[in-house]
Amino acid sequence: SGGVVTRPTDYRKQSRGNRIQEYFYGVNDNYCVTHRTVPFSELAAFRIGGAHRAPSSALPLGAAPTTDPMQITPVQWGPDMEHQVLAVSHANKAEDI
């Protein structure tokens, strides 16, 4: 192999821009990006998975984790939600998520 290939800054910027464009619009521009404004009062946020777990190496010998990885817990909107990754679900009840 020839090793690492150094690419010019302009090339990297263009490549990154192309990947972002492809993510939102699809490879052949077959996706349509839309904006919708919804009041926070109409939204609910949930965390999927149990609380932070200790690694199994930190548990006593023979012990198993007791948290449910699919547990659904309501989360309150607040400043700590900034820069978090969220998913959209069209479920009407938390049980249907």
Side-chain angles (χ1 to χ4, degrees):
S1 131
V4 175
V5 177
T6 304
R7 300 227 156 83
T9 303
D10 290 338
Y11 176 84
R12 292 193 334 260
K13 283 182 184 179
Q14 180 67 38
S15 180
R16 185 173 42 247
N18 289 345
R19 296 294 79 78
I20 293 170
Q21 172 80 16
E22 183 179 305
Y23 178 83
F24 285 105
Y25 293 95
V27 177
N28 298 318
D29 286 336
N30 52 346
Y31 297 153
C32 180
V33 175
T34 61
H35 298 271
R36 181 177 294 171
T37 303
V38 179
F40 277 109
S41 60
E42 293 184 19
L43 302 174
F46 297 90
R47 178 183 311 276
I48 307 297
H52 299 289
R53 299 188 334 182
S56 47
S57 61
L59 295 173
L61 289 175
T66 57
T67 56
D68 177 9
M70 297 305 293
Q71 177 182 358
I72 298 174
T73 309
V75 176
Q76 295 297 317
W77 294 109
D80 58 330
M81 297 283 288
E82 188 174 7
H83 303 298
Q84 298 296 314
V85 176
L86 302 175
V88 175
S89 171
H90 296 281
N92 292 320
K93 299 180 288 187
E95 299 81 34
D96 295 336
I97 295 177

